[in-house]
Amino acid sequence: MFAEERQNQILERVNQIGKITVQELSEALGVSPVTIRRDLERLEEGGYLYRTHGGALSLQSGVRETAHERSFSEKEEAFTAEKIRIAEAAAALVEDGESLLLTPGTTNMLLAGKLRGKKALSLVTNAANIAASVAAETEWNVILTGGRIRPQSHALVGPLAEESLDKIRADKLFLGVDGLDLQGGLTTPSLEEASVNRKMIALAKQVIVVTDHSKFGKVAFSRIAELDAVDVVVTDEGLPGEYADFLRRETNIRLVLV
């Protein structure tokens, strides 16, 4: 079956019942969930349906997942238990005396808390809330970049943020993302945050993505990097099996599931 024919069948099914899951479509059409997710992405790009986590909605349903960037407080409330486990596992990857880069985000905010007790760390971040919290409660060497602040994420962005990183090198970067897709790579809603993230990737010996399973298969507006920029992914056990299999078999990425 050609992709166009398959996508027409998907659209017919979604419109008939209003809502359908990736698993249901995979079983009905005899193709992998990864293929279905790719089809749904193309159909949403064409304006034919709404993608949701785990499936799709018809345009007539009157409901869709929000396409705008959520606030920090909204993100804090999502998948909290999973993010705590991810933060604990990520903290276990840090040794005393290391230099770290942390991007903004709710998981990295939790990670910063889980690092307390580590000794002689140097922490560089463009997240104003993370820097303030860590500096108040530790004796680490904490460096906050310059730049313009984005209220949505407490991120400092722009030329000043990037220039302040020029003379820095780090052992590890802990990178939060809004989307991790096998084809689309690592993405985030903000062009400016994506640019700072790319700079950080270039400065770190090891790139560690920390993200819950809901971000997999999603593509946000701004591309940060391809998957081959990543050394480790720390995520929760809600990760769909096809993504775990792909990362383990088709990439050199170390996958940590918690």
Side-chain angles (χ1 to χ4, degrees):
M1 183 185 300
F2 292 113
E4 184 176 289
E5 183 182 358
R6 186 176 61 249
Q7 289 164 16
N8 285 335
Q9 290 195 25
I10 290 171
L11 188 57
E12 286 178 8
R13 290 172 183 267
V14 172
N15 287 337
Q16 282 173 2
I17 59 178
K19 181 178 181 180
I20 199 164
T21 68
V22 168
Q23 191 61 40
E24 287 169 340
L25 288 168
S26 174
E27 292 172 358
L29 300 177
V31 295
S32 72
V34 171
T35 298
I36 294 297
R37 287 190 174 92
R38 195 177 304 129
D39 287 337
L40 293 178
E41 181 180 332
R42 299 293 178 268
L43 288 167
E44 184 179 52
E45 287 173 353
Y48 297 110
L49 51 70
Y50 300 134
R51 285 175 70 202
T52 68
H53 176 61
L57 295 169
S58 73
L59 296 180
Q60 290 76 35
S61 66
V63 180
R64 70 166 299 172
E65 286 192 316
T66 180
H68 77 279
E69 182 178 3
R70 293 181 296 164
S71 68
F72 189 89
S73 60
E74 287 175 319
K75 291 178 181 179
E76 269 189 312
E77 296 172 358
F79 301 102
T80 304
E82 290 87 347
K83 289 175 182 177
I84 290 171
R85 296 201 305 272
I86 292 166
E88 290 172 344
L93 301 176
V94 176
E95 303 291 337
D96 290 345
E98 288 192 318
S99 56
L100 310 177
L101 287 161
L102 265 68
T103 65
T106 55
T107 305
N108 271 346
M109 186 71 182
L110 291 167
L111 169 59
K114 299 297 181 182
L115 288 171
R116 288 164 195 166
K118 304 283 185 181
K119 298 177 181 177
L121 295 182
S122 292
L123 188 148
V124 183
T125 184
N126 66 321
N129 57 340
I130 292 176
S133 174
V134 172
E137 299 185 22
T138 73
E139 295 182 354
W140 303 339
N141 180 29
V142 180
I143 298 171
L144 177 64
T145 70
R148 178 182 64 81
I149 193 162
R150 296 188 70 243
Q152 301 96 319
S153 60
H154 306 291
L156 292 166
V157 295
L160 287 176
E162 295 184 39
E163 289 168 12
S164 64
L165 292 167
D166 280 340
K167 296 182 180 180
I168 290 171
R169 298 295 181 271
D171 294 307
K172 294 181 172 76
L173 163 63
F174 289 93
L175 175 64
V177 299
D178 290 84
L180 192 160
D181 184 74
L182 302 184
Q183 285 74 42
L186 311 174
T187 55
T188 188
S190 167
L191 283 168
E192 291 178 303
E193 286 197 46
S195 184
V196 177
N197 289 347
R198 281 193 296 274
K199 181 92 174 186
M200 288 183 170
I201 287 172
L203 302 176
K205 294 177 184 176
Q206 187 177 46
V207 177
I208 303 169
V209 170
V210 288
T211 188
D212 67 80
H213 72 274
S214 71
K215 309 297 175 56
F216 284 77
K218 291 187 176 179
V219 180
F221 178 69
S222 307
R223 176 173 292 197
I224 300 168
E226 300 287 353
L227 282 182
D228 60 10
V230 179
D231 298 296
V232 182
V233 170
V234 185
T235 189
D236 62 272
E237 291 183 338
L239 179 68
E242 67 268 20
Y243 286 97
D245 290 344
F246 181 88
L247 292 175
R248 286 171 173 150
R249 297 176 183 175
E250 304 297 331
T251 74
N252 294 318
I253 295 170
R254 176 187 171 192
L255 178 63
V256 178
L257 290 178
V258 294

